[in-house]
Amino acid sequence: MKRYLPEKLRNICFAGHNDTGKTTLLSALLYFTGTVNRFLRVEDGNTITDFDEEEISRKISIYLSLAWADYKDAKINFLDTPGFGMFISETIPGIKCSDTVALFVNGVQGIEIQTDKIFKISSSFDIPLLFIINKLDKENSDPLKVLEQLKNKYGNKVIPLTYPIGKEANFKGVVNILNLKAYYNENQSIQARVENMPEDLKGVVEKTREELIEKVAESDEKLMEKFFEKGTLEEKELLSGLKLGFLKRKIFP
C-alpha cells in the first residue's frame, strides 16, 4: 500500500443542507481521479459513501462516511456528511477533524437553515471554509444571486474563484478567475476542454479578478505594500496570498 507523508494528507469535509449535491460531487471526484472506474449515482443506490440500507432506500446521507482519492501524489480524505438537521451529530465530528470545510449551497434555493448552522460550527472550530454553489444546470438556478446572498450574509470575505458560463439548461462550464481560462465538460469526460474565456464575459471576469487581488492583498501586510506599489500582484504572490488568507479565514472562496 502506498505510504503518504503527513504534508501530503488532506482532510476535506463535505457539508451543507440536504439536497445540495454533496454525495454526487464526491462520486464525480472519485470517478475523475480514477479512484473508481464509473460514475456512481445516488439514484442508483451504489455510491461509495451512502452504503447503509436506509441511506440507499431513502436516497439521503444519514451517517458520516469516508472516501479517499490519490491526486497529485497527495491523499485526499473526503468526509461526506448528512444534510438533515436531525443528523447534525454525524456532521459535527466530520467538521472538527477536517482541514477544510466545503460548504455546499443549492444554486436554486440559496442559503438554507443548515448552511448557516454549518458555517457557525466551522467558525467555532476555526476551520478554513470554502463555498460550493452547486446544481447550476437546474431550472431557476441563479449562482450569481446566491453569491450575492453569501456576500450579504458573510461579508466581502466571500470571493468567487470561478464564474459560470450560461445558466440553467444552458449552463456549459466555468471560467477560472485565476488563469482566465474557460473549462467545459461534456458527457462526463475525464478531461475538461480548456479554451479562452468567452468574449462577452471578459469585462465581468477581469473585474472579479481585480476584486480577488485586492482581497488577497488585504489579508497580508507585505502583499498590501506590493499591491500599493505595483497596483496588482504577480501570479505567485496571488496564489500564496490566497492560500494564506484562506487558512486564516480572511477569505472564503
Side-chain angles (χ1 to χ4, degrees), residues 94-112:
I95 295 174
K96 190 173 183 180
C97 68
S98 65
D99 303 313
T100 296
V101 173
L103 180 46
F104 284 61
V105 185
N106 191 316
V108 179
Q109 304 296 339
I111 296 174
E112 299 175 90

Side-chain angles (χ1 to χ4, degrees), residues 158-170:
V158 179
I159 190 81
L161 297 188
T162 60
Y163 196 92
I165 303 171
K167 61 186 294 189
E168 298 177 314
N170 293 317

Side-chain angles (χ1 to χ4, degrees), residues 22-34 36 38-40 188 190:
K22 300 180 292 295
T23 302
T24 297
L25 182 56
L26 175 51
S27 292
L29 290 170
L30 295 177
Y31 173 59
F32 293 142
T33 55
V36 296
R38 61 195 176 108
F39 198 148
L40 305 175
Q188 297 180 353
I190 291 289

Side-chain angles (χ1 to χ4, degrees):
M1 185 177 176
K2 185 174 180 179
R3 293 174 177 268
Y4 296 88
L5 296 173
E7 60 267 23
K8 289 292 185 178
L9 297 175
R10 303 285 185 274
N11 298 317
I12 302 177
C13 178
F14 280 15
H17 202 84
N18 61 288
D19 196 33
T20 50
K22 300 180 292 295
T23 302
T24 297
L25 182 56
L26 175 51
S27 292
L29 290 170
L30 295 177
Y31 173 59
F32 293 142
T33 55
T35 307
V36 296
N37 60 11
R38 61 195 176 108
F39 198 148
L40 305 175
R41 292 158 38 96
V42 173
E43 295 88 336
D44 298 333
N46 59 6
T47 62
I48 298 293
T49 52
D50 282 354
F51 53 82
D52 183 82
E53 288 183 10
E54 283 293 310
E55 292 179 309
I56 293 170
S57 65
R58 296 176 184 274
K59 294 181 171 52
I60 62 169
S61 298
I62 296 175
Y63 303 105
L64 169 65
S65 53
L66 171 69
W68 68 274
D70 183 286
Y71 184 67
K72 294 186 176 180
D73 293 324
K75 183 184 181 185
I76 306 177
N77 295 311
F78 296 102
L79 300 156
D80 192 16
T81 66
F84 282 95
M86 68 183 78
F87 305 126
I88 193 70
S89 60
E90 293 286 321
T91 302
I92 293 173
I95 295 174
K96 190 173 183 180
C97 68
S98 65
D99 303 313
T100 296
V101 173
L103 180 46
F104 284 61
V105 185
N106 191 316
V108 179
Q109 304 296 339
I111 296 174
E112 299 175 90
I113 294 172
Q114 289 296 102
T115 312
D116 194 47
K117 191 174 288 187
I118 289 163
F119 184 90
K120 289 174 179 175
I121 293 169
S122 73
S123 298
S124 68
F125 294 132
D126 202 29
I127 307 290
L129 180 141
L130 61 91
F131 289 102
I132 295 177
I133 303 177
N134 207 9
K135 303 203 170 192
L136 303 193
D137 58 343
K138 302 299 182 186
E139 186 178 356
N140 297 321
S141 180
D142 192 341
L144 299 181
K145 180 181 177 182
V146 175
L147 175 63
E148 284 306 307
Q149 287 181 359
L150 293 171
K151 285 185 173 184
N152 291 335
K153 182 77 174 176
Y154 304 113
N156 61 3
K157 291 180 179 181
V158 179
I159 190 81
L161 297 188
T162 60
Y163 196 92
I165 303 171
K167 61 186 294 189
E168 298 177 314
N170 293 317
F171 174 68
K172 299 174 182 177
V174 296
V175 176
N176 184 324
I177 301 295
L178 295 171
N179 64 11
L180 302 178
K181 293 292 185 181
Y183 291 77
Y184 301 91
N185 184 275
E186 293 95 1
N187 304 318
Q188 297 180 353
S189 59
I190 291 289
Q191 190 66 42
R193 177 166 54 88
V194 184
E195 297 182 0
N196 292 327
M197 74 170 121
E199 286 292 326
D200 62 328
L201 291 182
K202 271 191 174 180
V204 67
V205 168
E206 288 172 355
K207 182 176 182 295
T208 303
R209 194 174 193 275
E210 289 172 7
E211 291 173 358
L212 172 63
I213 291 172
E214 287 184 29
K215 181 51 61 180
V216 169
E218 287 174 11
S219 66
D220 182 80
E221 276 189 33
K222 290 182 179 178
L223 290 179
M224 180 63 84
E225 289 175 7
K226 289 187 177 182
F227 177 73
F228 281 137
E229 183 182 331
K230 300 178 182 178
T232 188
L233 296 176
E234 294 178 6
E235 184 178 357
K236 193 174 181 180
E237 295 168 337
L238 175 59
L239 291 174
S240 62
L242 176 61
K243 180 179 179 181
L244 184 64
F246 171 67
L247 292 174
K248 290 181 176 181
R249 286 179 60 93
K250 291 183 176 181
I251 295 175
F252 300 123

